[in-house]
Amino acid sequence: RLYRALRFADRFKFVLDSITEYLFDKAIKISSPSTLSTKRIAAEIDKCFKEKYPLSLLNKYRSSGLLEYFHKSFKNLNRPDFSFSMVRAMTTRLKSKFPEIIENAVFWSLFLSPLPFAEAQTLLNNSGLSHSVVLQVTSTLSNWQTILTKISLANTKLEIYNALKDACPETLALLYLKNKNKEIENKINQYVNQLYSIKPSITGKDLIEAGIEPGPQIRIILDKKIEKKLECPELTRKEELNLARISNI
């Protein structure tokens, strides 16, 4: 009821009356929310993400002390920032290229991103969230920092492509939301708007069937082929195979 009271107060823009506020503060002082399960609190936070202004409500949960009953670290973390207000716009922006993106998974990824991965994973496993949301959030939180490091070091089209090719849409959204560096943002934009849609037409199996011996050279040839494809997206499958044969000479 404590979470619900703040949710309705935030949604309908009213202030708790003095008696309700007194009882609310008393409940917090005696740690009443500690009797709630992770699943129950997660359900309330999940409803928060569906509100029109989730950032406003999140900050009310934090200032009241309710967030720390989901995880103690939220007591000392910085206030949720403006990024939460950008989740819906970011999801809409990416949906044209990645229709499978799950908005709720982006919210949860952003919300849990300050926590160590193992602790975030434990919360997710006990959250009662849908399997698809848990799967995408887990994937995002497991690699977004590594990918951010890779993209910061990437300079060529091939390096940018390789840094981001395994990122799910929710990871791309989190990278946009967490990153404050314009150069990195431009690299992500380049991948999303240009490089993502460029798909090589041949695989390692195709190279072997074309007579190229299996071995480490297959990966080298594929990397060269991808680099060429990124420079010349109009290459046909036949042209790609011919270039692969030339690379193997």
Side-chain angles (χ1 to χ4, degrees):
R1 291 182 180 180
L2 299 174
Y3 293 88
R4 208 171 305 163
L6 290 185
R7 177 155 48 89
F8 289 138
D10 189 74
R11 181 190 300 173
F12 298 112
K13 307 303 177 190
F14 66 80
V15 177
L16 301 180
D17 63 57
S18 57
I19 296 176
T20 304
E21 188 172 9
Y22 168 77
L23 294 173
F24 186 103
D25 292 341
K26 183 178 179 181
I28 294 293
K29 286 178 182 177
I30 63 174
S31 300
S32 292
S34 63
T35 62
L36 298 173
S37 66
T38 297
K39 182 178 180 179
R40 186 70 190 88
I41 298 175
E44 292 299 328
I45 295 172
D46 199 52
K47 290 174 184 176
C48 166
F49 296 149
K50 294 176 173 62
E51 291 292 313
K52 187 175 182 180
Y53 302 108
L55 176 58
S56 173
L57 181 52
L58 268 183
N59 279 320
K60 283 184 171 64
Y61 283 166
R62 182 186 180 280
S63 61
S64 67
L66 286 176
L67 274 189
E68 63 192 77
Y69 288 99
F70 186 60
H71 192 283
K72 60 184 180 181
S73 292
F74 284 107
K75 181 178 181 178
N76 301 313
L77 291 174
N78 294 331
R79 288 166 56 88
D81 63 24
F82 187 69
S83 300
F84 283 93
S85 299
M86 300 298 295
V87 169
R88 291 196 178 102
M90 182 57 64
T91 304
T92 300
R93 174 184 171 185
L94 290 173
K95 211 170 187 65
S96 61
K97 288 285 183 73
F98 309 94
E100 71 276 20
I101 191 170
I102 304 173
E103 180 181 277
N104 207 33
V106 178
F107 269 117
W108 276 101
S109 295
L110 182 59
F111 179 65
L112 295 174
S113 62
L115 300 180
F117 174 68
E119 295 177 25
Q121 189 173 37
T122 298
L123 289 173
L124 283 169
N125 291 340
N126 293 297
S127 67
L129 295 170
S130 69
H131 176 71
S132 59
V133 168
V134 171
L135 189 67
Q136 294 309 108
V137 177
T138 300
S139 174
T140 295
L141 294 180
S142 70
N143 64 11
W144 76 271
Q145 290 176 307
T146 300
I147 292 175
L148 185 59
T149 299
K150 287 180 179 179
I151 197 65
S152 68
L153 299 173
N155 293 306
T156 67
K157 288 183 178 180
L158 180 60
E159 288 170 343
I160 294 171
Y161 178 86
N162 284 335
L164 292 170
K165 66 180 181 179
D166 295 324
C168 66
E170 291 78 11
T171 302
L172 292 173
L174 186 63
L175 290 171
Y176 272 121
L177 294 166
K178 298 284 285 187
N179 169 60
K180 308 299 180 186
N181 183 295
K182 188 64 178 178
E183 184 181 351
I184 291 176
E185 181 184 348
N186 289 338
K187 292 176 185 178
I188 302 172
N189 284 336
Q190 184 179 17
Y191 175 78
V192 170
N193 297 326
Q194 300 173 22
L195 307 182
Y196 165 75
S197 59
I198 299 173
K199 304 295 183 185
S201 303
I202 60 175
T203 65
K205 181 180 178 182
D206 294 321
L207 296 180
I208 293 170
E209 290 177 351
I212 297 174
E213 288 292 322
Q217 69 273 14
I218 292 289
R219 171 48 53 197
I220 296 172
I221 293 171
L222 286 175
D223 282 344
K224 289 181 179 178
K225 178 178 61 64
I226 291 172
E227 187 171 17
K228 191 66 178 177
K229 184 79 171 181
L230 293 174
E231 295 296 335
C232 305
E234 68 278 4
L235 281 176
T236 65
R237 176 183 169 81
K238 183 178 179 180
E239 288 171 332
E240 285 186 49
L241 277 172
N242 287 336
L243 285 170
R245 291 190 183 97
I246 293 172
S247 299
N248 191 50
I249 295 174

